[in-house]
Amino acid sequence: MCRHLAYIGTPVPLAELLLVPDHGLLAQSWAPRRQRYGTVNADGFGVGWYAPGDPVPARYRRSVPIWADRSFADVARVTSSPAVLAAVRSATPGMPPDESAAAPYAHGPWLFSHNGRVEDWPHALEELAASLPPARLLALEAQVDSALLWALVQERLAAGADAGEALIQVVNAVSSVAGGRFNFLLTDGTAIAATAAGDSLFWRTGPGGVVVASEPSDESPGWQEVPDNSLLTATPGHVEVRPIPTLTKEHAAT
Ligand code: GLN
């Protein structure tokens, strides 16, 4: 389904990261190489990035394919950032193709993206939504499984979980209710947390930083594949990959 990418490191022009590479997010929108579900990613796109000295990221999202937005290409050429999260979307059947449903989702310093789907939707919605306070439900950014997953992640972050813990808890909580694929990216601009849970995920360090992406942007030899059912955490100088522990239902729900 969707393809997404996060970067953290020295400032880089958005175009260098997303548009210029032979197999970057732009190319992946019409010719992904490792996508297991769906064919093209033309149901919108989004880019979130941080400006030095400002903890709250900017977001640019559209409901059109990334290749159709020439203005974004122009802005991306001259906009540099030390931390970026971007996605091109292939909407899950039945989910609206709106701009509001294009990742990244955002709140405060956080950017979030989901590559995958919750099976048995909207049935699973009932049980998952029941675990959320009404205010969190009313604040959902879109009528999409990913927006609900983001609300569940925010709930864990608000309860004090760190980024990696929050993602693990949500993968476990949702898996205990419904099947699905739960590849997440989450960043606050200083670190990246990511899950490989049903779809492809790769990472590469250098030059200048670390890239975590659904698939390699180029043919350089540094790309490493993340095994399925793993949590990846990354800062510019350090990448760690470990298996996602299966939590008890009670623990996952907290
Ligand atoms: N289910 C999500 C959506 O419809 C993500 C889709 C995807 O990964 N392709 O937006």
Side-chain angles (χ1 to χ4, degrees), residues 47-234:
V47 185
W49 70 95
Y50 297 81
D54 189 338
V56 178
R59 260 193 314 174
Y60 182 97
R61 298 183 300 160
R62 298 289 310 279
S63 59
V64 298
I66 191 170
W67 71 72
D69 189 337
R70 302 306 300 263
S71 294
F72 173 68
D74 213 25
V75 170
R77 189 173 50 82
V78 298
T79 304
S80 293
S81 174
V84 180
L85 197 159
V88 289
R89 180 171 183 234
S90 165
T92 298
M95 307 275 171
D98 304 342
E99 179 180 306
S100 63
Y105 294 87
H107 184 73
W110 296 103
L111 292 171
F112 171 83
S113 171
H114 165 226
N115 161 216
R117 67 180 297 176
V118 177
E119 306 283 357
D120 200 20
W121 186 268
H123 236 97
L125 172 63
E126 273 181 40
E127 194 167 338
L128 294 171
S131 69
L132 284 169
R136 188 78 72 192
L137 281 174
L138 285 171
L140 279 194
E141 282 195 58
Q143 306 301 310
V144 177
D145 54 359
S146 308
L148 185 77
L149 295 170
W150 172 223
L152 294 167
V153 170
Q154 286 181 76
E155 198 62 13
R156 271 73 179 177
L157 293 172
D162 70 26
E165 288 165 358
L167 297 189
I168 287 173
Q169 288 174 14
V170 171
V171 168
N172 275 287
V174 181
S175 305
S176 70
V177 170
R181 299 186 293 279
F182 310 112
N183 278 43
F184 298 143
L185 284 179
L186 178 65
T187 185
D188 62 356
T190 67
I192 297 167
T195 53
D199 212 324
S200 58
L201 189 71
F202 290 77
W203 63 275
R204 189 197 68 188
T205 53
V210 51
V211 178
V212 182
S214 303
E215 53 187 86
S217 306
D218 55 37
E219 305 292 358
S220 67
W223 290 96
Q224 317 249 12
E225 185 159 14
V226 179
D228 196 38
N229 206 35
S230 299
L231 172 75
L232 177 150
T233 48

